[in-house]
């Protein structure tokens, strides 16, 4: 394939993937890697590097809108980032000596879990108002904007729990993110919602805030290893960024149920195809 | 502390912290727009000059290229090498969240919140290590 055609096609597919990722809440990375590997025959190592760059772009591009709404808990984000960035560096280092097939298998499993959570989104748990010693030591309890019953905007306080457990999961999320080139937002949201018992909107926005930082940690290592190929990473990053920004604009006005179902099917097919290739002699 | 009582926004002491968060969020936006702009210039240059080149990314080759380290990327981008300009945009994109953590660190110093100065400092140090120091072969 000529350079001009490849760059144009990569940009176009990333635009669509970023758009669909924003509408379904799955993020772009999950479909970008199958597109690069399965449709364009790009080596998985380049695909992982390019996808990480797209993950940084979409996370940073969306952050302003999220933070203005006042949901992000910066202390929780920074504290958990200690675990995610250490995990990300470890994951990027491990990736050098792990076979591509193993990475493809781990990625397929991440795809299946993503599809599952898309079809069965987490149901927010009621708040847990018991104080927690570790969380109080780190002053993590905070408040977020809500509407009172009569419709006027107010701030509602919430308490944070299970910090050590969440740190352990975040370490794993960092390794996963670096190894297979995704934001692993679903793992982060899972830990913050189920374990730490943050309000759901605080979980999703704080997760987005952390995703870019986590990906930046491993992207640095990948850059040195030559896995960030500009002719692949550049069109993928701007395409995904553009698509996700358009997606975020359209989101409040569309019903996403059927789109989520369609997306889940695509993601499952991609995972199955990757596994099939591994079994048939490698990706 | 009246932890569980809803209060009107804007009437609390957390106001300066909120303003800081918004400023930091704008920083991310500026960084993203800037990097996307540089990438687009690089892509345009690349399409103009190298559009007909045959590419094969089917196998990963570890190359001791100048496009692997921040300083040489900048040097080659200044010569308007198309791939290097694209890579400079990618580098700026990687730097955006790192700079943001740096500013968060400074904000904690200004607030004399020493515990979080240490926490943000660890994150910032690990990020810098990943970008500058750690070479794995």
């Amino acid at each position: 394939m000529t350079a001009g055609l490849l760059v144009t096609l990569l940009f176009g597919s990333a635009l669509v993937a970023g758009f669909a990722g924003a509408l379904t809440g799955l993020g772009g990375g999950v479909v970008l890697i199958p597109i690069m590997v399965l449709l364009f025959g790009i080596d998985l190592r380049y695909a992982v590097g390019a996808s990480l760059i797209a993950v940084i772009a979409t996370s940073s591009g969306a952050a302003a809108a999220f933070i203005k709404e006042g949901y992000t808990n910066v202390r929780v984000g920074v504290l958990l980032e200690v675990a995610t960035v250490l995990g990300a560096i470890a994951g990027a280092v491990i990736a050098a000596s792990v076979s591509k097939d193993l990475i493809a298998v781990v990625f397929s499993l991440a795809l299946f879990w993503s599809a599952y959570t898309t079809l069965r989104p987490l149901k927010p748990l009621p708040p847990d108002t018991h104080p927690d010693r570790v969380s109080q030591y780190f002053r993590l309890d905070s408040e977020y904007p809500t509407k009172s019953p009569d419709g006027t905007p107010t701030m509602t306080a919430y308490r944070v729990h299970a910090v050590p457990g969440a740190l352990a999961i975040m370490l794993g999320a960092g390794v996963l993110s670096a190894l297979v080139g995704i934001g692993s937002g679903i793992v982060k949201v899972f830990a913050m919602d189920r374990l730490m018992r943050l309000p759901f909107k605080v979980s999703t926005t704080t997760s987005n805030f952390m995703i870019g930082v986590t990906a930046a940690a491993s992207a640095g290592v990948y850059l040195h290893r030559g896995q960030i190929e500009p002719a692949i990473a550049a069109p993928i990053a701007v395409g995904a960024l553009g698509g996700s920004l358009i997606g975020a604009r359209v989101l409040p006005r569309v019903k996403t149920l059927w789109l989520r179902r369609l997306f889940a099917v695509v993601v499952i097919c991609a995972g199955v195809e990757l596994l099939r290739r591994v079994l048939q002699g490698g990706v | 502390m009246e932890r569980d009582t809803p209060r009107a926004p804007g009437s609390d002491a957390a106001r300066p912290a909120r303003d800081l968060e918004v400023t930091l969020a704008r920083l991310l936006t500026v960084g993203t727009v800037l990097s996307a702009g540089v990438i687009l210039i690089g892509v345009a240059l690349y399409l103009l000059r190298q559009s007909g080149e045959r590419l094969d990314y089917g196998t990963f080759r570890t190359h001791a290229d100048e496009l692997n380290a921040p300083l040489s990327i900048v040097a080659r981008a200044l010569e308007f090498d198309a791939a290097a300009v694209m890579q400079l945009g990618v580098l700026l994109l990687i730097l955006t969240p790192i700079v943001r953590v740096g500013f968060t660190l400074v904000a904690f110093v200004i607030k004399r919140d020493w515990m979080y100065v240490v926490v943000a400092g660890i994150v910032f140090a690990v990020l810098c290590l990943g970008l500058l120091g750690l070479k794995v072969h």
Side-chain angles (χ1 to χ4, degrees):
Chain A
M1 202 181 284
T2 64
L5 187 61
L6 181 70
V7 167
T8 313
L9 287 176
L10 285 178
F11 176 79
S13 349
L15 199 66
V16 176
F19 183 72
L23 287 188
T24 54
L26 263 182
V30 164
V31 273
L32 282 172
I33 291 180
I35 287 173
M36 285 185 270
V37 174
L38 299 175
L39 293 186
F40 297 109
I42 292 172
D43 188 290
L44 185 64
R45 300 210 186 271
Y46 289 127
V48 167
S51 175
L52 276 173
I53 303 301
V55 164
I56 298 174
T58 48
S59 160
S60 302
F66 282 142
I67 294 186
K68 264 180 220 152
E69 291 168 9
Y71 294 112
T72 311
N73 187 325
V74 175
R75 284 212 190 97
V76 168
V78 173
L79 185 64
L80 296 181
E81 271 165 12
V82 173
T84 65
V85 295
L86 285 173
I89 296 277
V93 171
I94 295 168
S97 47
V98 159
S99 85
K100 271 195 293 182
D101 285 349
L102 182 62
I103 295 174
V105 171
V106 174
F107 180 67
S108 300
L109 296 179
L111 287 183
F112 296 143
W113 192 22
S114 301
Y116 177 77
T117 47
T118 312
L119 295 174
R120 312 204 59 178
L122 288 178
K123 287 202 177 61
L125 296 172
D128 180 342
T129 50
H130 295 287
D132 178 281
R133 270 208 9 253
V134 183
S135 148
Q136 286 187 327
Y137 177 76
F138 284 107
R139 288 172 283 123
L140 297 177
D141 295 346
S142 183
E143 51 184 20
Y144 74 115
T146 47
K147 284 214 168 80
S148 59
D150 60 1
T152 51
T154 55
M155 300 296 281
T156 304
Y158 59 88
R159 290 190 189 275
V160 181
H161 300 83
V163 178
L167 281 171
I169 292 189
M170 291 299 162
L171 196 69
V175 174
L176 180 70
S177 166
L179 201 60
V180 304
I182 57 175
S184 57
I186 44 167
V187 183
K188 295 186 172 94
V189 170
F190 184 84
M192 286 191 269
D193 185 79
R194 298 287 116 159
L195 281 180
M196 302 182 85
R197 305 294 291 271
L198 298 179
F200 196 67
K201 280 210 159 179
V202 179
S203 299
T204 52
T205 53
T206 306
S207 159
N208 180 76
F209 165 79
M210 294 165 59
I211 281 171
V213 177
T214 312
S218 46
V221 179
Y222 282 137
L223 184 73
H224 284 288
R225 207 185 287 146
Q227 276 184 251
I228 314 283
E229 179 61 40
I232 303 170
I236 286 284
V238 281
L241 175 65
S244 69
L245 290 179
I246 301 168
R249 287 256 164 130
V250 180
L251 186 59
R253 281 175 278 132
V254 292
K255 285 201 195 305
T256 56
L257 180 65
W258 281 100
L259 189 72
R260 283 213 310 268
R261 286 183 179 157
L262 177 73
F263 205 60
V265 171
V266 172
V267 163
I268 291 169
C269 290
V272 170
E273 175 61 18
L274 272 172
L275 285 181
R276 195 184 65 81
R277 291 204 184 185
V278 170
L279 289 174
Q280 286 192 344
V283 283
Chain B
M1 286 222 289
E2 305 160 281
R3 288 249 52 124
D4 297 307
T5 337
R7 290 183 281 127
S11 64
D12 57 298
R15 200 72 217 159
R18 288 280 316 129
D19 292 344
L20 179 76
E21 275 182 49
V22 173
T23 311
L24 288 173
R26 290 222 179 92
L27 182 80
L28 278 179
T29 318
V30 172
T32 315
V33 170
L34 185 71
S35 348
V38 174
I39 289 179
L40 285 175
I41 293 171
V43 170
L45 281 176
Y46 190 77
L47 290 179
L48 281 175
R49 292 181 193 158
Q50 279 150 275
S51 186
E53 227 169 74
R54 294 256 146 210
L55 292 181
D56 180 22
Y57 291 121
T59 16
F60 173 65
R61 287 174 293 269
T62 315
H63 45 293
D65 201 89
E66 296 94 343
L67 294 180
N68 294 0
L71 284 179
S72 50
I73 292 170
V74 176
R76 270 184 59 188
L78 290 175
E79 298 163 8
F80 281 94
D81 175 89
V85 175
M86 289 195 283
Q87 195 77 320
L88 178 66
V90 168
L91 180 65
L92 289 174
L93 212 45
I94 299 176
L95 279 173
T96 303
I98 301 180
V99 172
R100 191 227 195 276
V101 171
F103 274 80
T104 310
L105 173 64
V106 172
F108 284 130
V109 172
I110 292 170
K111 283 189 273 181
R112 297 179 185 279
D113 187 344
W114 304 120
M115 178 194 284
Y116 277 90
V117 168
V118 174
V119 173
I122 294 171
V123 177
F124 190 66
V126 174
L127 288 168
C128 291
L129 182 79
L131 188 64
L132 298 172
L134 206 68
K135 290 197 179 184
V136 185
H137 299 286

